[in-house]
Amino acid sequence: MPPLIQNPNHAVQPDFTLEEHTPACQQLTDNGIPDAQATIILTNLWIQSNDKEKTAWARRIEEEALAEEEADRCEAQEATEHQQEQDEEEAKALQEERHKNKSKFVPPVILPSQISLHKLKSRAFCELWYFTNNGLADAETSGSSALDDNHLTLSQTPDGLPSFIPAIFAKDYKAPIVQDENLTWEQFREAALCMIDAMCDHEWNEDCITMHIKFWTALENHPWRHSCLEYSKCTLLHYQGQQRHCWHHLVSTPKAFSLAELEQQLLDQTREHLMHQDKTNEIKQLKQVHTYI
């Protein structure tokens, strides 16, 4: 069947009793079919033909829609991959430039707190908040950026006994530490850039630094990052914090893994968990309101 040009759903059923259809009716009456029966036969044949054309039209529209959707998906994927490659190349070039010309890069005026740098030195998990603008400002105002991690201060154990501990762990912060999953995306970007600088300054393994760059870049470029659903955007931040925690916990074990590749299945599970958690909290609140009433 040749491709249809006009939508058969808009076709108007002919009136085969009109004079213009006499030749068609005459062919049937010449074969012994009564005039009234001839018009009914022609009408039924037209309806059957039109139904086939409608089915073919619907199939064609569906195939075109699927083809367009696939083309859009491929185009979006190519754009994302191109952007990721470009970001990785720029990050790698910047990293190489830092190693070759360290004198060109002036250290930040506001230094991170010594406790965050101590965690980086020991390759322990460190909250991104320390490297946000708020975290850096708090380090400056509280004086924690100037503390020496070798300096000891007197404290008490849970049993009430005197004990010396590093001063950086005894220093009180003016601002509460925000966990990774509760950061805003703006804070996440601030912290990620600053922490990469700190990793370079403390001579982290290049593979680890590159892995973190790929990890954070992949999160920024994930389709959920610009989703209209807040659950999807929050899921990426929860996933980031959970995976970094897990990576630090397992990095020295046979179960060590790379952060560079995002696990979509785990992202889906995290989003479902967040949605279920919020729904459970809503039900609890409604029950409390009902109890008060």
Side-chain angles (χ1 to χ4, degrees):
M1 179 184 292
L4 298 174
I5 300 177
Q6 295 182 342
N7 188 345
N9 293 287
H10 299 156
V12 178
Q13 179 179 316
D15 183 358
F16 290 100
T17 61
L18 297 179
E19 183 178 354
E20 60 188 84
H21 299 293
T22 299
C25 291
Q26 188 64 45
Q27 292 181 14
L28 296 177
T29 55
D30 289 346
N31 288 286
I33 298 176
D35 291 342
Q37 191 67 26
T39 57
I40 294 175
I41 291 174
L42 290 174
T43 299
N44 289 338
L45 290 173
W46 183 91
I47 292 174
Q48 291 176 12
S49 176
N50 183 251
D51 287 342
K52 291 181 180 179
E53 292 178 349
K54 288 179 179 178
T55 301
W57 182 270
R59 187 184 302 111
R60 170 185 166 186
I61 295 298
E62 182 180 1
E63 290 174 352
E64 290 178 351
L66 290 174
E68 183 177 355
E69 182 179 346
E70 179 64 17
D72 291 342
R73 188 191 67 79
C74 291
E75 182 179 354
Q77 184 176 353
E78 289 177 1
T80 299
E81 291 175 353
H82 176 72
Q83 185 63 44
Q84 287 177 343
E85 291 176 0
Q86 185 175 353
D87 291 342
E88 289 174 7
E89 290 176 359
E90 292 176 356
K92 187 176 180 180
L94 178 60
Q95 186 177 338
E96 291 176 354
E97 181 68 12
R98 285 185 177 279
H99 282 291
K100 293 179 181 178
N101 304 290
K102 292 185 178 180
S103 60
K104 290 176 57 179
F105 296 89
V106 180
V109 177
I110 303 176
L111 298 176
S113 66
Q114 282 297 322
I115 188 171
S116 64
L117 299 181
H118 179 84
K119 290 182 177 182
L120 283 181
K121 289 178 184 178
S122 61
R123 305 298 189 262
F125 173 81
C126 182
E127 292 83 355
L128 286 174
W129 177 84
Y130 287 109
F131 298 89
T132 63
N133 290 343
N134 290 341
L136 295 174
D138 182 68
E140 183 184 37
T141 56
S142 66
S144 58
S145 61
L147 288 175
D148 185 351
D149 60 356
N150 293 320
H151 180 70
L152 300 178
T153 188
L154 186 63
S155 182
Q156 278 189 335
T157 66
D159 298 330
L161 299 176
S163 174
F164 286 98
I165 62 173
I168 57 174
F169 293 109
K171 185 69 180 179
D172 291 330
Y173 288 93
K174 293 183 178 180
I177 297 174
V178 180
Q179 298 304 312
D180 284 13
E181 59 267 24
N182 295 323
L183 295 175
T184 65
W185 275 98
E186 183 178 1
Q187 290 174 322
F188 169 76
R189 284 192 294 270
E190 296 169 357
L193 292 173
C194 189
M195 184 177 275
I196 289 296
D197 287 340
M199 288 177 176
C200 293
D201 292 339
H202 288 82
E203 299 181 348
W204 270 47
N205 182 286
E206 286 192 17
D207 290 339
C208 287
I209 296 176
T210 302
M211 178 192 68
H212 278 82
I213 292 174
K214 289 182 177 180
F215 177 49
W216 288 329
T217 301
L219 289 171
E220 282 281 4
N221 291 323
H222 194 279
W224 288 1
R225 169 65 185 89
H226 302 288
S227 171
C228 59
L229 300 176
E230 285 300 320
Y231 280 117
S232 297
K233 291 187 283 190
C234 291
T235 295
L236 294 174
L237 292 174
H238 275 75
Y239 174 89
Q240 187 277 149
Q242 293 169 356
Q243 287 298 91
R244 275 208 312 122
H245 260 293
C246 188
W247 181 81
H248 279 280
H249 181 67
L250 299 176
V251 68
S252 301
T253 73
K255 295 183 179 180
F257 63 98
S258 172
L259 291 169
E261 297 293 333
L262 303 185
E263 296 185 30
Q264 187 59 45
Q265 184 177 2
L266 187 55
L267 280 168
D268 293 336
Q269 293 173 356
T270 303
R271 183 170 63 173
E272 290 178 6
H273 173 74
L274 290 177
M275 295 175 67
H276 176 73
Q277 194 175 45
D278 280 0
K279 182 63 67 176
T280 301
N281 291 336
E282 288 180 6
I283 294 174
K284 287 182 180 179
Q285 291 177 358
L286 289 174
K287 287 183 178 179
Q288 290 177 353
V289 171
H290 181 72
T291 302
Y292 290 140
I293 294 176

